[in-house]
Amino acid sequence: DMRRMRLISEAYAEIKETDPNTAITMTAFRRLVLDGRIPSIMIGNKRLVSMEDVENFFQHGDRQMPEPESGKIRPIIL
């Protein structure tokens, strides 16, 4: 199963096509990729993103739940 890899501009075009009224701008989307919040790979001088990673970011955000540590008392966050 091949991942759908796109240039940043192509990925953004797909977002706009899916949701023409999206509040995300091209600049903001590019910044998310360049900051590493949406994973990307460099091929030559082109940066590619996986549409699956883009969709996952917008569905779940970039908050990673820490892995629970076994054998330790965990703090209760109030």
Side-chain angles (χ1 to χ4, degrees):
D1 187 25
M2 184 112 171
R3 295 180 67 107
R4 297 175 296 142
M5 302 301 290
R6 304 284 185 271
L7 295 171
I8 294 174
S9 58
E10 294 169 341
Y12 183 72
E14 284 194 32
I15 292 169
K16 286 294 279 187
E17 184 178 317
T18 302
D19 179 10
N21 297 317
T22 184
I24 189 90
T25 63
M26 177 64 179
T27 302
F29 181 69
R30 183 179 305 278
R31 179 60 42 213
L32 289 169
V33 174
L34 296 178
D35 287 349
R37 294 174 67 193
I38 296 175
S40 66
I41 60 170
M42 291 294 292
I43 304 290
N45 63 351
K46 297 178 186 218
R47 187 173 298 271
L48 301 176
V49 295
S50 161
M51 290 308 294
E52 290 81 3
D53 288 339
V54 171
E55 291 162 6
N56 185 55
F57 177 84
F58 286 112
Q59 287 175 0
H60 305 288
D62 61 345
R63 291 176 287 169
Q64 297 288 327
M65 293 298 293
E67 290 294 320
E69 297 182 49
S70 63
K72 292 189 176 182
I73 298 174
R74 63 182 170 85
I76 297 176
I77 301 170
L78 302 173

Coordinates of all heavy atoms in Angstrom, one line a residue:
D1 N 0.8 -1.2 0.0 CA 0.0 0.0 0.0 C 0.9 1.2 0.0 O 1.6 1.5 1.0 CB -0.9 0.0 1.2 CG -1.9 1.1 1.2 OD1 -2.3 1.6 0.1 OD2 -2.4 1.5 2.3
M2 N 0.9 2.0 -1.1 CA 1.7 3.1 -1.3 C 1.1 4.4 -0.6 O -0.1 4.6 -0.7 CB 1.9 3.4 -2.8 CG 2.8 4.5 -3.1 SD 4.3 3.8 -3.8 CE 5.1 5.2 -4.4
R3 N 2.0 5.2 0.1 CA 1.5 6.4 0.7 C 1.3 7.5 -0.4 O 2.0 7.5 -1.4 CB 2.5 6.9 1.7 CG 2.6 5.9 2.9 CD 3.6 6.3 3.9 NE 3.1 7.5 4.6 CZ 2.7 7.6 5.8 NH1 2.6 6.5 6.5 NH2 2.3 8.7 6.4
R4 N 0.4 8.4 -0.2 CA 0.1 9.4 -1.1 C 1.0 10.6 -0.8 O 0.7 11.4 0.1 CB -1.4 9.9 -1.1 CG -2.3 8.8 -1.5 CD -3.8 9.2 -1.3 NE -4.0 9.4 0.1 CZ -4.8 10.3 0.6 NH1 -5.4 11.2 -0.2 NH2 -5.0 10.5 1.9
M5 N 2.1 10.7 -1.5 CA 3.1 11.8 -1.2 C 2.9 13.0 -2.1 O 2.6 12.8 -3.3 CB 4.5 11.2 -1.4 CG 4.9 10.0 -0.6 SD 4.8 10.3 1.2 CE 6.1 11.4 1.5
R6 N 2.9 14.2 -1.6 CA 2.7 15.4 -2.3 C 3.7 16.5 -1.9 O 4.2 16.5 -0.8 CB 1.3 15.9 -2.0 CG 0.1 15.0 -2.2 CD -0.2 14.8 -3.7 NE -1.4 14.0 -3.9 CZ -1.4 12.7 -4.0 NH1 -0.3 12.0 -4.0 NH2 -2.5 12.1 -4.2
L7 N 3.9 17.4 -2.8 CA 4.6 18.6 -2.5 C 3.8 19.4 -1.5 O 2.5 19.2 -1.5 CB 4.9 19.4 -3.8 CG 5.8 18.8 -4.8 CD1 5.8 19.7 -6.1 CD2 7.2 18.7 -4.3
I8 N 4.4 20.3 -0.8 CA 3.6 21.1 0.2 C 2.5 21.8 -0.6 O 1.3 21.8 -0.1 CB 4.5 22.1 0.9 CG1 5.5 21.4 1.8 CG2 3.7 23.1 1.7 CD1 6.6 22.2 2.4
S9 N 2.8 22.4 -1.7 CA 1.7 23.2 -2.4 C 0.6 22.3 -2.9 O -0.6 22.6 -2.9 CB 2.3 23.9 -3.6 OG 3.0 23.0 -4.5
E10 N 1.0 21.0 -3.4 CA -0.1 20.1 -3.8 C -0.9 19.6 -2.7 O -2.1 19.5 -2.8 CB 0.6 18.9 -4.5 CG 1.3 19.2 -5.8 CD 2.2 18.1 -6.3 OE1 2.5 17.2 -5.5 OE2 2.5 18.1 -7.5
A11 N -0.3 19.4 -1.5 CA -1.0 18.9 -0.3 C -2.0 20.0 0.1 O -3.2 19.7 0.4 CB -0.1 18.6 0.8
Y12 N -1.6 21.3 0.1 CA -2.4 22.4 0.5 C -3.6 22.5 -0.5 O -4.7 22.7 -0.1 CB -1.7 23.7 0.6 CG -2.5 24.8 1.0 CD1 -3.0 24.9 2.3 CD2 -3.0 25.8 0.1 CE1 -3.8 25.9 2.7 CE2 -3.8 26.8 0.5 CZ -4.2 26.9 1.8 OH -5.0 27.9 2.2
A13 N -3.3 22.3 -1.8 CA -4.4 22.4 -2.8 C -5.4 21.3 -2.6 O -6.6 21.6 -2.7 CB -3.8 22.2 -4.2
E14 N -5.0 20.1 -2.1 CA -6.0 19.1 -1.8 C -6.8 19.4 -0.6 O -8.0 19.2 -0.5 CB -5.3 17.7 -1.5 CG -4.9 17.1 -2.8 CD -4.5 15.6 -2.6 OE1 -5.1 14.9 -1.8 OE2 -3.6 15.1 -3.4
I15 N -6.2 20.1 0.4 CA -6.9 20.6 1.6 C -8.0 21.6 1.2 O -9.2 21.5 1.6 CB -6.0 21.2 2.6 CG1 -5.1 20.1 3.2 CG2 -6.8 21.9 3.7 CD1 -3.9 20.7 4.1
K16 N -7.6 22.5 0.3 CA -8.5 23.5 -0.1 C -9.6 22.9 -1.0 O -10.8 23.4 -0.9 CB -7.8 24.6 -0.9 CG -7.0 25.6 -0.1 CD -7.8 26.4 0.8 CE -8.4 27.6 0.0 NZ -9.1 28.6 0.9
E17 N -9.3 21.9 -1.8 CA -10.3 21.3 -2.6 C -11.4 20.5 -1.7 O -12.6 20.6 -2.0 CB -9.7 20.3 -3.5 CG -10.6 19.6 -4.5 CD -9.9 18.6 -5.4 OE1 -8.8 19.0 -5.9 OE2 -10.4 17.5 -5.7
T18 N -10.9 19.9 -0.7 CA -11.7 19.2 0.3 C -12.6 20.1 1.1 O -13.8 19.9 1.3 CB -10.9 18.3 1.2 OG1 -10.1 17.4 0.4 CG2 -11.8 17.5 2.1
D19 N -12.0 21.2 1.5 CA -12.7 22.2 2.4 C -12.3 23.6 1.9 O -11.4 24.2 2.3 CB -12.2 22.1 3.8 CG -12.9 23.1 4.7 OD1 -13.8 23.8 4.3 OD2 -12.5 23.1 5.9
P20 N -13.1 24.1 0.9 CA -12.8 25.4 0.3 C -12.8 26.6 1.3 O -12.2 27.6 1.1 CB -13.9 25.7 -0.7 CG -14.5 24.3 -1.0 CD -14.3 23.5 0.3
N21 N -13.5 26.4 2.5 CA -13.6 27.5 3.5 C -12.7 27.2 4.6 O -12.8 27.8 5.7 CB -15.0 27.6 4.0 CG -16.0 27.9 2.9 OD1 -15.7 28.8 2.1 ND2 -17.1 27.3 2.8
T22 N -11.6 26.4 4.4 CA -10.7 26.1 5.5 C -10.0 27.4 6.0 O -9.8 28.4 5.3 CB -9.6 25.2 5.1 OG1 -8.8 24.9 6.2 CG2 -8.7 25.7 4.0
A23 N -9.8 27.5 7.3 CA -9.2 28.6 7.9 C -7.7 28.6 7.8 O -7.0 29.6 8.1 CB -9.6 28.8 9.4
I24 N -7.1 27.4 7.5 CA -5.7 27.3 7.4 C -5.2 27.9 6.1 O -5.8 27.8 5.1 CB -5.2 25.8 7.5 CG1 -3.7 25.6 7.6 CG2 -5.7 25.0 6.3 CD1 -3.2 25.6 9.0
T25 N -4.1 28.7 6.3 CA -3.5 29.4 5.1 C -2.3 28.6 4.6 O -1.8 27.7 5.3 CB -3.0 30.8 5.5 OG1 -2.0 30.7 6.4 CG2 -4.2 31.7 6.0
M26 N -1.9 28.9 3.4 CA -0.8 28.2 2.8 C 0.5 28.4 3.7 O 1.3 27.5 3.9 CB -0.5 28.7 1.4 CG 0.7 28.1 0.7 SD 0.6 26.3 0.5 CE 2.1 26.0 -0.3
T27 N 0.6 29.7 4.1 CA 1.8 30.0 5.0 C 1.8 29.2 6.3 O 2.8 28.7 6.7 CB 1.8 31.5 5.3 OG1 1.8 32.2 4.1 CG2 3.0 31.9 6.2
A28 N 0.6 29.1 6.9 CA 0.5 28.3 8.2 C 0.8 26.9 7.9 O 1.5 26.2 8.7 CB -0.9 28.5 8.8
F29 N 0.2 26.3 6.8 CA 0.5 24.9 6.5 C 1.9 24.7 6.2 O 2.5 23.7 6.8 CB -0.4 24.5 5.3 CG -0.2 23.1 4.9 CD1 -0.7 22.1 5.7 CD2 0.4 22.7 3.7 CE1 -0.6 20.7 5.3 CE2 0.6 21.4 3.4 CZ 0.1 20.4 4.2
R30 N 2.6 25.5 5.5 CA 4.0 25.4 5.2 C 4.8 25.4 6.5 O 5.7 24.6 6.7 CB 4.5 26.5 4.2 CG 5.9 26.4 3.8 CD 6.3 27.5 2.9 NE 5.5 27.5 1.7 CZ 5.7 26.8 0.6 NH1 6.6 25.9 0.6 NH2 4.9 26.9 -0.5
R31 N 4.4 26.3 7.4 CA 5.2 26.4 8.7 C 5.0 25.1 9.5 O 6.0 24.7 10.1 CB 4.6 27.6 9.5 CG 5.2 27.9 10.8 CD 6.7 28.1 10.9 NE 7.2 29.0 9.8 CZ 8.4 28.9 9.3 NH1 9.3 28.0 9.7 NH2 8.8 29.7 8.3
L32 N 3.8 24.5 9.5 CA 3.6 23.3 10.2 C 4.6 22.2 9.7 O 5.1 21.4 10.5 CB 2.2 22.8 10.1 CG 1.1 23.6 10.8 CD1 -0.3 23.1 10.4 CD2 1.3 23.4 12.3
V33 N 4.8 22.2 8.4 CA 5.7 21.2 7.8 C 7.1 21.5 8.1 O 7.9 20.7 8.5 CB 5.4 21.1 6.2 CG1 6.5 20.2 5.6 CG2 4.0 20.6 5.9
L34 N 7.5 22.8 7.9 CA 8.9 23.1 8.1 C 9.3 23.0 9.6 O 10.5 22.7 9.9 CB 9.2 24.6 7.6 CG 9.0 24.7 6.1 CD1 9.2 26.2 5.7 CD2 9.9 23.8 5.3
D35 N 8.3 23.2 10.5 CA 8.6 23.0 11.9 C 8.6 21.6 12.4 O 8.9 21.3 13.5 CB 7.6 23.8 12.8 CG 7.7 25.3 12.7 OD1 8.8 25.8 12.2 OD2 6.8 26.0 13.2
G36 N 8.3 20.7 11.5 CA 8.3 19.3 11.8 C 7.0 18.8 12.5 O 7.0 17.6 12.9
R37 N 6.0 19.6 12.6 CA 4.8 19.2 13.3 C 4.0 18.2 12.4 O 3.3 17.3 12.8 CB 4.0 20.3 13.7 CG 4.7 21.1 14.8 CD 4.0 22.4 15.2 NE 2.7 22.1 15.8 CZ 1.8 23.0 16.0 NH1 2.0 24.3 15.6 NH2 0.7 22.7 16.6
I38 N 4.2 18.4 11.0 CA 3.7 17.5 10.0 C 4.9 16.9 9.4 O 5.8 17.6 8.8 CB 2.8 18.1 9.0 CG1 1.5 18.7 9.6 CG2 2.5 17.1 7.9 CD1 0.6 19.4 8.7
P39 N 5.2 15.6 9.5 CA 6.4 15.0 9.0 C 6.6 15.2 7.5 O 5.6 15.2 6.7 CB 6.2 13.5 9.3 CG 5.2 13.4 10.3 CD 4.3 14.6 10.1
S40 N 7.8 15.3 7.1 CA 8.1 15.5 5.6 C 9.4 14.8 5.3 O 10.2 14.5 6.2 CB 8.1 16.9 5.2 OG 9.2 17.6 5.9
I41 N 9.7 14.6 4.0 CA 11.0 14.1 3.6 C 11.5 14.9 2.5 O 10.7 15.5 1.7 CB 10.9 12.6 3.2 CG1 9.9 12.4 2.0 CG2 10.5 11.7 4.3 CD1 10.0 11.0 1.4
M42 N 12.8 15.0 2.4 CA 13.4 15.8 1.3 C 13.8 14.8 0.2 O 14.5 13.8 0.4 CB 14.6 16.6 1.8 CG 14.3 17.7 2.7 SD 13.4 19.1 1.9 CE 14.6 19.7 0.8
I43 N 13.4 15.1 -1.0 CA 13.9 14.4 -2.2 C 14.5 15.5 -3.1 O 13.8 16.3 -3.7 CB 12.7 13.7 -3.0 CG1 11.9 12.8 -2.1 CG2 13.2 13.0 -4.2 CD1 12.6 11.5 -1.7
G44 N 15.8 15.5 -3.2 CA 16.5 16.5 -3.9 C 16.3 17.8 -3.1 O 16.5 17.9 -1.9
N45 N 15.7 18.8 -3.8 CA 15.4 20.1 -3.2 C 13.9 20.2 -3.0 O 13.4 21.3 -2.7 CB 16.0 21.3 -4.0 CG 15.4 21.4 -5.3 OD1 14.7 20.5 -5.8 ND2 15.6 22.5 -6.0
K46 N 13.2 19.1 -3.1 CA 11.7 19.1 -2.9 C 11.3 18.5 -1.6 O 11.9 17.5 -1.2 CB 11.0 18.4 -4.0 CG 11.2 19.1 -5.4 CD 10.6 18.4 -6.5 CE 11.0 19.0 -7.8 NZ 10.0 19.1 -8.7
R47 N 10.4 19.1 -0.9 CA 9.9 18.5 0.4 C 8.6 17.9 0.1 O 7.6 18.5 -0.4 CB 9.8 19.6 1.4 CG 9.5 19.1 2.8 CD 9.6 20.3 3.8 NE 10.9 20.8 4.0 CZ 11.8 20.4 4.8 NH1 11.6 19.4 5.5 NH2 13.0 21.0 4.8
L48 N 8.4 16.6 0.5 CA 7.2 15.9 0.3 C 6.5 15.5 1.6 O 7.2 15.2 2.6 CB 7.5 14.6 -0.5 CG 8.1 14.7 -1.8 CD1 8.4 13.3 -2.4 CD2 7.2 15.5 -2.8
V49 N 5.2 15.6 1.6 CA 4.5 15.2 2.8 C 3.5 14.1 2.4 O 3.1 14.0 1.3 CB 3.7 16.4 3.4 CG1 4.6 17.4 4.0 CG2 2.7 17.0 2.4
S50 N 3.2 13.2 3.4 CA 2.2 12.2 3.2 C 0.8 12.7 3.5 O 0.6 13.3 4.6 CB 2.6 11.0 4.1 OG 1.4 10.2 4.2
M51 N -0.1 12.5 2.6 CA -1.5 13.0 2.9 C -2.1 12.3 4.1 O -2.9 12.9 4.8 CB -2.3 12.8 1.6 CG -2.0 13.7 0.5 SD -1.9 15.5 1.0 CE -3.6 15.8 1.4
E52 N -1.6 11.1 4.4 CA -2.1 10.4 5.5 C -1.6 11.1 6.8 O -2.4 11.2 7.8 CB -1.6 8.9 5.5 CG -2.3 8.0 4.5 CD -1.7 8.2 3.1 OE1 -0.7 8.9 2.9 OE2 -2.2 7.5 2.2
D53 N -0.4 11.6 6.8 CA 0.2 12.3 7.9 C -0.6 13.7 8.1 O -0.8 14.1 9.2 CB 1.7 12.6 7.8 CG 2.5 11.3 8.0 OD1 2.0 10.3 8.6 OD2 3.7 11.3 7.5
V54 N -0.9 14.3 7.0 CA -1.6 15.6 7.0 C -3.0 15.4 7.6 O -3.4 16.1 8.5 CB -1.7 16.2 5.6 CG1 -2.6 17.4 5.6 CG2 -0.3 16.6 5.0
E55 N -3.7 14.3 7.1 CA -5.0 14.0 7.6 C -5.0 13.7 9.1 O -5.8 14.2 9.9 CB -5.7 12.9 6.8 CG -6.0 13.3 5.4 CD -6.2 12.2 4.5 OE1 -6.2 11.0 4.9 OE2 -6.4 12.4 3.3
N56 N -4.0 12.9 9.5 CA -3.8 12.5 10.9 C -3.6 13.8 11.8 O -4.1 13.9 12.9 CB -2.7 11.5 11.1 CG -2.6 11.0 12.5 OD1 -3.5 10.5 13.0 ND2 -1.4 11.2 13.1
F57 N -2.7 14.7 11.3 CA -2.5 15.9 12.1 C -3.7 16.7 12.3 O -4.0 17.1 13.4 CB -1.4 16.8 11.4 CG -1.2 18.1 12.1 CD1 -0.3 18.1 13.1 CD2 -1.9 19.2 11.8 CE1 0.0 19.3 13.8 CE2 -1.6 20.4 12.4 CZ -0.7 20.4 13.5
F58 N -4.5 16.9 11.3 CA -5.7 17.7 11.4 C -6.9 17.0 12.1 O -7.8 17.6 12.7 CB -6.2 18.2 10.1 CG -5.3 19.3 9.6 CD1 -4.5 19.2 8.5 CD2 -5.3 20.5 10.2 CE1 -3.7 20.2 8.0 CE2 -4.4 21.6 9.8 CZ -3.6 21.4 8.7
Q59 N -6.8 15.6 12.2 CA -7.8 14.9 13.0 C -7.4 14.8 14.5 O -8.3 14.9 15.3 CB -8.0 13.5 12.4 CG -8.7 13.4 11.1 CD -8.7 12.0 10.6 OE1 -8.2 11.1 11.1 NE2 -9.4 11.9 9.4
H60 N -6.2 14.7 14.8 CA -5.7 14.4 16.1 C -4.8 15.5 16.7 O -4.4 15.4 17.9 CB -5.0 13.1 16.2 CG -5.9 12.0 15.7 ND1 -7.0 11.5 16.4 CD2 -5.8 11.2 14.6 CE1 -7.5 10.5 15.7 NE2 -6.8 10.3 14.6
G61 N -4.4 16.4 15.9 CA -3.4 17.4 16.4 C -2.0 16.8 16.5 O -1.8 15.6 16.1
D62 N -1.1 17.5 17.1 CA 0.3 16.9 17.2 C 0.6 16.6 18.6 O 1.7 16.4 19.0 CB 1.3 17.8 16.6 CG 1.4 19.2 17.3 OD1 0.5 19.6 18.0 OD2 2.4 19.9 17.0
R63 N -0.4 16.5 19.5 CA -0.2 16.2 20.9 C 0.1 14.7 21.0 O -0.8 13.9 20.6 CB -1.4 16.6 21.7 CG -1.5 18.1 21.9 CD -2.7 18.4 22.6 NE -3.9 18.1 21.7 CZ -5.1 18.1 22.1 NH1 -5.4 18.3 23.3 NH2 -6.0 17.9 21.2
Q64 N 1.2 14.3 21.5 CA 1.5 12.9 21.7 C 1.3 12.6 23.1 O 1.8 13.3 24.0 CB 3.0 12.7 21.3 CG 3.3 12.9 19.8 CD 2.7 11.9 18.9 OE1 2.6 10.7 19.3 NE2 2.3 12.3 17.7
M65 N 0.6 11.5 23.4 CA 0.4 11.0 24.7 C 1.7 10.3 25.2 O 2.2 9.5 24.4 CB -0.8 10.1 24.8 CG -2.1 10.7 24.5 SD -2.5 12.0 25.7 CE -2.7 11.1 27.2
P66 N 2.2 10.7 26.3 CA 3.4 10.0 26.8 C 3.1 8.5 27.1 O 2.0 8.2 27.5 CB 3.8 10.7 28.0 CG 2.6 11.4 28.5 CD 1.7 11.7 27.3
E67 N 4.1 7.7 26.8 CA 4.0 6.3 27.1 C 3.9 6.1 28.6 O 4.8 6.6 29.3 CB 5.1 5.5 26.5 CG 5.1 5.4 25.0 CD 3.9 4.6 24.4 OE1 3.6 3.6 25.0 OE2 3.3 5.0 23.4
P68 N 3.0 5.3 29.1 CA 3.0 5.1 30.5 C 4.2 4.3 31.0 O 4.6 3.4 30.3 CB 1.7 4.2 30.7 CG 1.3 3.7 29.4 CD 1.9 4.6 28.4
E69 N 4.7 4.7 32.1 CA 5.9 4.0 32.6 C 5.4 3.0 33.7 O 4.7 3.4 34.6 CB 6.8 5.0 33.3 CG 7.4 6.0 32.3 CD 8.4 7.0 33.0 OE1 9.2 6.5 33.8 OE2 8.2 8.2 32.9
S70 N 5.8 1.8 33.5 CA 5.4 0.8 34.5 C 6.3 0.8 35.7 O 7.5 1.1 35.6 CB 5.3 -0.6 33.8 OG 6.6 -1.0 33.4
G71 N 5.7 0.5 36.8 CA 6.5 0.4 38.0 C 6.8 1.7 38.7 O 7.6 1.8 39.7
K72 N 6.2 2.8 38.2 CA 6.4 4.1 38.8 C 5.0 4.7 39.2 O 4.0 4.4 38.5 CB 7.1 5.0 37.9 CG 8.5 4.6 37.6 CD 9.2 5.7 36.8 CE 10.7 5.3 36.7 NZ 11.4 6.4 36.0
I73 N 5.0 5.6 40.2 CA 3.8 6.3 40.5 C 3.7 7.5 39.6 O 4.6 8.2 39.4 CB 3.9 6.8 42.0 CG1 4.0 5.6 42.9 CG2 2.7 7.6 42.3 CD1 4.2 5.9 44.4
R74 N 2.5 7.6 39.0 CA 2.4 8.7 38.0 C 1.7 9.9 38.7 O 0.8 9.7 39.6 CB 1.6 8.3 36.8 CG 0.2 7.8 37.1 CD -0.5 7.4 35.9 NE -1.8 6.7 36.2 CZ -2.9 7.3 36.4 NH1 -3.0 8.6 36.3 NH2 -4.0 6.7 36.7
P75 N 2.1 11.1 38.4 CA 1.5 12.3 39.0 C 0.0 12.4 38.5 O -0.3 12.1 37.4 CB 2.3 13.4 38.6 CG 2.9 13.0 37.3 CD 3.1 11.5 37.4
I76 N -0.8 13.0 39.4 CA -2.2 13.3 39.0 C -2.2 14.8 38.6 O -1.8 15.6 39.4 CB -3.2 13.0 40.2 CG1 -3.2 11.5 40.5 CG2 -4.6 13.5 39.8 CD1 -4.0 11.1 41.7
I77 N -2.6 15.0 37.4 CA -2.7 16.4 36.9 C -4.1 17.0 37.2 O -5.1 16.4 36.8 CB -2.4 16.5 35.4 CG1 -1.0 15.9 35.2 CG2 -2.5 17.9 34.9 CD1 -0.6 15.7 33.7
L78 N -4.1 18.0 38.0 CA -5.4 18.7 38.3 C -5.8 19.8 37.4 O -5.0 20.5 36.9 CB -5.4 19.1 39.8 CG -5.1 18.1 40.8 CD1 -4.9 18.7 42.2 CD2 -6.2 17.1 40.9

